[in-house]
Amino acid sequence: MLPRYFYNFSTFMSMFPHNYLIYGADVSIVGATALIIFVLTYFKKWKWLWDNWITTVDHKRIGIMYILAAFAMFFRGGTDGLLMRTQLALPNLHFLSAQHYDEIFTTHGTIMILFMAMPMLIGLINVAVPLQIGARDVAFPYLNAISFWTFFFGAMLFNISFVFGGSPDAGWTSYAPLSELQFDPGPGENYYLLGLQLAGIGTIATGVNFLVTILKMRAPGMTLMKMPQFTWATLITSIIIIFAFPVLTVALALLTIDRLAGAHFFTIAAGGMPMMWVNLFWIWGHPEVYIVILPAFGILSDVISTFSGKKIFGYTAMVVSLAAIAALSFTVWVHHFFTMGAGAAVNSFFGVSTMLIAIPTGVKIFNWLFTMYRGRIRFTTPMLWALAFIPTFVVGGMTGVMLAVAPADYQYHNSYFLVSHFHYVLIGGTVFGAFAGIYYWWPKMFGHKLNERLGRWHVGTFVLFFNMTFFPMYIVGLMGMTRRMYTYPSGLGWTALNLIETIGAFGQGASMMIMAVNIVRSIKFGERDVTGDIWDGRTLEWSTTSPAAEYNFSVLPQVTSVDEWWEEKKRGVVRPDHATFKPIHMPNNSGWPFLIGLSFFIAGFGLVFNWWLSAIVGALGIITFLFLRSFDYNTDHYIPVDEVKRVEAAAGR
Amino acid sequence: MDTSHHDGYEHTAVSTHREGFPWKDIIGLVLSLALTFTSLHIVLTHALPIGALITAIVVLAVFQLFVQLFLFMHLTEKTGTRSNIGAMAFGLFVAFTIVAGSIWIMAFNSSSS
Ligand code: HEM
Ligand SMILES: [Cu+2]
């Protein structure tokens, strides 16, 4: 029995119809926007913002903007999560209505995967990969800015849905026929389709960009098998992006045509095939989960090797297993819809192929353990995240293999057991890995470390509350609680577990506040990185200054081994002679990517409401700006030797 | 495509400059638009019986594929042949898996409940 005040709490909450929450959110959005505009105007920062950030094509700044946006989205998605957990804290609550609950789990899932996990990792990739391979920028810096701004405006388009016209409510999987016009009228689903479409353009461009960057722009001497592990992970991820994302593009386009032009690709009527949406969605969807885990694997490899003071164990095996995971990730998608009933042969095939992925994944886990074995381990915050990653991810992976047993999945499917599985891999894997990367490369991005003490508190509390939230979900799932239910009756034995989960969820929120405090405090008090190599690192990003100069390296490094920087330090570091400097060729900043993104946004917004005027204006904007760009002959410049000398001297080199 | 040091400067970005008027690209653009609108047209007007219609679309799609590969992606250019072969092989693997897999999956007669 629960104490009485809980019931009072529930009647108290029921006095808030969900509209008040929306009004509250609206007010805070308007307030925050007004505050930002005020601060920028008051401190005369508009020009600074435009010159240094909005028009930048520098991969390091683009990376930082990705990460900032990802944190904002983490906050939005996290708030969604807390609202859901509040609603489910106790049986029969009326904090959220069924409709509002549907909207919130839809935006939560979509935002967390596409607008939090991916940009957080793409941000780290942008920051670190060109530095790791000793390059001065990515292959296509201008395209990189287009990637960022299409992602950014795609995310904004998705996020304004609840302010104008209503959020999508058919889940992040947006299954047809539920997501078709007939069953889901209104702009909500259109926001989902167009927001994702727009962000997807940026993602595909990022995939192409980093594939070419890594293949073509490595420092002299860096053969493929001398690349750092994070670079390898990025290369493989880029390949998965290039092959998987077009499927999403097509699926979204077909559903958009259904909804806006009255076609019948996925309807039940007129020969449409709703199951085809499910099929296409997961052809993209499963590779997608590997797109968000492989970079985290790469971070882990680099972090573990650095803080164990050892070369990564089994370098070749690590590379081969990445490639194997990439190939296999295209052969398993049916495991998301065994219950569609495609038949025993189909289900067995895809069940077995799914289980195969556990093999290369296991190889990676063992190699991390062997890297630590007999290493001189330094328990820094990035290393703690890596250490937390391993057992958590193993639990997530093992429950994944349980789900891959097709007959058993008829029981687990769409239960809280599944919900727990993917939170163990996505938080325990992707988020822990991303946080390891954030703490690890923070000094490289900003020139100072985050506080280690607060960092340890962040890891400790987050891991504790994470398990408190999600472990009970395995149990309550086996007890029969299904995903996406907005409330449940009492007397099923679910109440205590749900309450624990809710407390854990708020604990995770509080834990993130520790990180926020850490970030703010460290601006002033964080240990400065004067050497550029504050962790005693092994790979090339630690050979340059923190933060790195615009041109990254005064002279391109000459590579002879894996962990090049570590070997150089053993031989005794020789800083490049100023006499050898040459003028450095760099791309110019450009405002077009921002304006193109904005035009896409206007076009997308128009399509959401079938408001053709806005759609046409936006489309014309896109074409005009592309056209103008192609006559832009002033696209690059040389940094004179004197300036390189001045910058290097100022950094004491 | 160079990070090399000729002409005394160090280049950064992959160079995208090619000589001459981009005839290939323009022909490619026109062809791909024509192929797209032809398939749209025959579907919207039901120009053919259903079986023939589907065959026609598949044929047009294969043409489209060749336009993309030869006119835009410069498959025939000499540089990077090895990585081209690798990319083609992986592309074929993924395409085969998706198409054959989807046909296999979607051909079910709801044999289970
Ligand atoms: C050995 C590794 C893994 C195996 C065997 C595995 C297996 C599965 C299976 C069989 C399902 C479908 C269960 C059902 O719907 O009933 C599933 C769902 C899911 N998995 Fe995994 N998984 C693995 C790793 C991962 C990783 C690394 C991620 C992401 C980082 C991930 C994310 C997800 C997500 C998001 C879903 C649920 C999607 C939804 O229905 O909304 N999984 N997994
Ligand atoms: Cu999957």
Side-chain angles (χ1 to χ4, degrees):
Chain A
M1 269 307 289
L2 289 159
R4 247 200 96 68
Y5 57 83
F6 272 118
Y7 293 100
N8 293 342
F9 170 78
S10 83
T11 43
F12 168 72
M13 292 318 271
S14 68
M15 294 182 340
F16 289 88
H18 73 265
N19 291 350
Y20 285 85
L21 285 171
I22 294 188
Y23 293 147
D26 289 355
V27 169
S28 46
I29 288 175
V30 172
T33 316
L35 186 71
I36 292 170
I37 293 176
F38 173 76
V39 169
L40 285 171
T41 312
Y42 187 81
F43 292 102
K44 302 204 169 55
K45 288 288 188 195
W46 283 108
K47 190 168 156 42
W48 165 85
L49 188 69
W50 177 263
D51 288 345
N52 289 294
W53 295 95
I54 293 178
T55 60
T56 190
V57 294
D58 180 334
H59 68 97
K60 302 177 288 295
R61 287 176 187 247
I62 290 178
I64 289 172
M65 291 196 291
Y66 264 115
I67 292 169
L68 261 177
F71 269 112
M73 291 296 99
F74 201 5
F75 186 76
R76 157 84 209 261
T79 309
D80 285 346
L82 292 183
L83 291 173
M84 288 190 283
R85 278 321 315 168
T86 306
Q87 165 66 17
L88 291 179
L90 295 166
N92 299 317
L93 289 188
H94 299 286
F95 175 60
L96 301 176
S97 67
Q99 173 60 25
H100 196 199
Y101 188 86
D102 289 355
E103 293 175 12
I104 288 186
F105 73 64
T106 302
T107 53
H108 169 79
T110 316
I111 286 175
M112 284 303 204
I113 292 198
L114 287 133
F115 301 138
M116 187 286 283
M118 298 219 9
M120 184 93 82
L121 294 167
I122 291 180
L124 290 169
I125 287 172
N126 263 291
V127 166
V129 166
L131 293 173
Q132 285 201 324
I133 61 173
R136 293 226 163 94
D137 206 318
V138 294
F140 310 115
Y142 173 83
L143 183 66
N144 204 16
I146 297 221
S147 284
F148 175 76
W149 289 109
T150 47
F151 145 70
F152 179 84
F153 281 108
M156 289 303 109
L157 185 60
F158 185 84
N159 269 276
I160 58 163
S161 59
F162 76 103
V163 184
F164 300 105
S167 292
D169 56 3
W172 84 283
T173 50
S174 194
Y175 277 5
L178 175 63
S179 53
E180 289 281 3
L181 208 51
Q182 186 188 0
F183 301 107
D184 203 341
E189 280 306 308
N190 297 349
Y191 273 118
Y192 168 96
L193 294 167
L194 291 151
L196 263 56
Q197 191 68 281
L198 182 44
I201 297 173
T203 309
I204 295 182
T206 299
V208 173
N209 215 335
F210 278 90
L211 178 72
V212 181
T213 303
I214 295 173
L215 289 183
K216 296 283 183 192
M217 311 240 326
R218 297 188 310 279
M222 183 180 275
T223 56
L224 286 178
M225 293 309 267
K226 291 198 178 85
M227 299 196 307
Q229 285 288 329
F230 182 59
T231 302
W232 259 114
T234 303
L235 176 66
I236 302 283
T237 306
S238 304
I239 295 173
I240 308 186
I241 288 177
I242 292 169
F243 284 98
F245 260 79
V247 183
L248 178 70
T249 304
V250 169
L252 293 172
L254 296 181
L255 188 51
T256 309
I257 295 171
D258 273 8
R259 288 182 61 92
L260 298 184
H264 293 279
F265 290 109
F266 306 123
T267 60
I268 304 172
M273 209 174 189
M275 296 301 191
M276 198 47 152
W277 167 269
V278 179
N279 187 50
L280 290 175
F281 185 88
W282 289 116
I283 289 175
W284 162 77
H286 186 84
E288 165 67 8
V289 307
Y290 282 90
I291 291 168
V292 296
I293 199 65
L294 292 189
F297 282 178
I299 295 169
L300 225 71
S301 298
D302 281 1
V303 163
I304 288 179
S305 145
T306 301
F307 295 110
S308 305
K310 283 174 62 187
K311 232 163 90 175
I312 192 78
F313 182 91
Y315 181 97
T316 314
M318 287 305 240
V319 173
V320 172
S321 55
L322 280 174
I325 291 175
L328 281 174
S329 75
F330 284 96
T331 65
V332 301
W333 74 94
V334 176
H335 68 220
H336 291 277
F337 50 97
F338 285 142
T339 54
M340 191 171 100
V346 172
N347 279 3
S348 317
F349 176 88
F350 284 93
V352 172
S353 64
T354 304
M355 291 175 200
L356 283 179
I357 294 202
I359 297 171
T361 314
V363 169
K364 299 201 78 76
I365 305 245
F366 279 109
N367 281 353
W368 289 325
L369 296 179
F370 287 134
T371 306
M372 287 188 275
Y373 180 68
R374 295 224 165 135
R376 202 175 289 120
I377 296 181
R378 288 178 284 155
F379 292 97
T380 57
T381 313
M383 187 64 178
L384 291 177
W385 282 115
L387 290 174
F389 177 118
I390 294 174
T392 320
F393 189 78
V394 167
V395 173
M398 305 249 278
T399 48
V401 177
M402 289 171 71
L403 291 164
V405 182
D409 188 56
Y410 272 70
Q411 299 300 316
Y412 306 135
H413 182 56
N414 280 353
S415 75
Y416 261 84
F417 190 87
L418 164 76
V419 175
S420 192
H421 156 70
F422 66 71
H423 283 90
Y424 266 75
V425 280
L426 282 167
I427 300 182
T430 303
V431 174
F432 286 12
F435 283 173
I438 298 271
Y439 277 89
Y440 181 57
W441 283 307
W442 195 270
K444 204 31 80 186
M445 288 189 270
F446 301 109
H448 62 265
K449 233 179 177 174
L450 291 173
N451 180 279
E452 283 286 295
R453 220 177 111 80
L454 286 173
R456 281 194 293 276
W457 274 99
H458 180 210
V459 184
T461 50
F462 200 84
V463 172
L464 175 79
F465 288 119
F466 161 77
N467 281 290
M468 182 169 169
T469 312
F470 293 104
F471 198 81
M473 287 189 190
Y474 283 127
I475 303 169
V476 87
L478 293 178
M479 289 165 90
M481 184 162 170
T482 52
R483 80 192 289 192
R484 294 173 176 168
M485 57 198 302
Y486 90 104
T487 189
Y488 55 93
S490 56
L492 292 169
W494 299 354
T495 311
L497 290 168
N498 271 285
L499 188 60
I500 294 171
E501 289 162 19
T502 302
I503 296 168
F506 279 91
Q508 288 180 74
S511 174
M512 286 308 295
M513 290 302 128
I514 301 180
M515 186 181 199
V517 170
N518 196 351
I519 289 174
V520 174
R521 249 189 61 108
S522 302
I523 296 175
K524 214 166 162 173
F525 303 111
E527 185 191 335
R528 305 290 122 168
D529 181 1
V530 285
T531 61
D533 186 17
I534 200 165
W535 301 113
D536 195 8
R538 309 178 69 81
T539 39
L540 285 176
E541 73 267 38
W542 305 108
S543 70
T544 182
T545 47
S546 292
E550 182 197 352
Y551 48 79
N552 291 354
F553 299 93
S554 56
V555 171
L556 291 183
Q558 192 78 37
V559 180
T560 51
S561 48
V562 186
D563 291 353
E564 172 66 22
W565 175 235
W566 184 257
E567 303 297 330
E568 274 180 39
K569 283 191 286 188
K570 280 205 302 205
R571 291 196 300 264
V573 178
V574 189
R575 296 285 179 205
D577 180 357
H578 284 210
T580 61
F581 289 173
K582 288 178 187 147
I584 296 175
H585 186 204
M586 295 301 290
N588 283 353
N589 284 1
S590 171
W592 303 128
F594 175 81
L595 294 173
I596 290 172
L598 186 65
S599 310
F600 266 116
F601 178 88
I602 294 167
F605 190 77
L607 289 178
V608 165
F609 289 96
N610 290 295
W611 197 30
W612 300 104
L613 183 66
S614 164
I616 291 167
V617 169
L620 285 179
I622 300 166
I623 294 169
T624 313
F625 294 131
L626 287 176
F627 187 78
L628 290 175
R629 160 73 184 182
S630 61
F631 291 99
D632 199 348
Y633 292 109
N634 184 17
T635 56
D636 43 48
H637 63 279
Y638 284 92
I639 304 179
V641 173
D642 286 343
E643 195 183 330
V644 180
K645 284 186 179 163
R646 201 173 44 70
V647 174
E648 292 296 304
R653 301 191 173 210
Chain B
M1 311 250 159
D2 57 353
T3 47
S4 62
H5 306 235
H6 61 86
D7 67 22
Y9 292 119
E10 294 196 10
H11 291 276
T12 309
V14 168
S15 119
T16 44
H17 296 290
R18 263 180 287 116
E19 300 303 315
F21 193 76
W23 279 117
K24 261 189 165 181
D25 305 68
I26 290 183
I27 297 170
L29 179 70
V30 173
L31 273 179
S32 63
L33 287 175
L35 287 165
T36 305
F37 283 103
T38 314
S39 26
L40 185 66
H41 177 77
I42 58 175
V43 171
L44 284 184
T45 56
H46 293 279
L48 300 163
I50 191 82
L53 197 61
I54 290 173
T55 319
I57 291 181
V58 172
V59 171
L60 290 172
V62 173
F63 272 120
Q64 180 80 261
L65 180 79
F66 287 126
V67 169
Q68 301 289 323
L69 283 179
F70 291 106
L71 294 176
F72 290 129
M73 295 164 90
H74 308 283
L75 200 67
T76 44
E77 280 174 24
K78 289 252 157 34
T79 52
T81 329
R82 240 186 66 203
S83 50
N84 273 355
I85 293 174
M88 286 298 288
F90 191 63
L92 283 176
F93 163 72
V94 172
F96 174 80
T97 316
I98 292 176
V99 174
S102 298
I103 292 173
W104 188 33
I105 295 159
M106 305 308 291
F108 66 99
N109 305 312
S110 202
S111 49
S112 56
S113 49

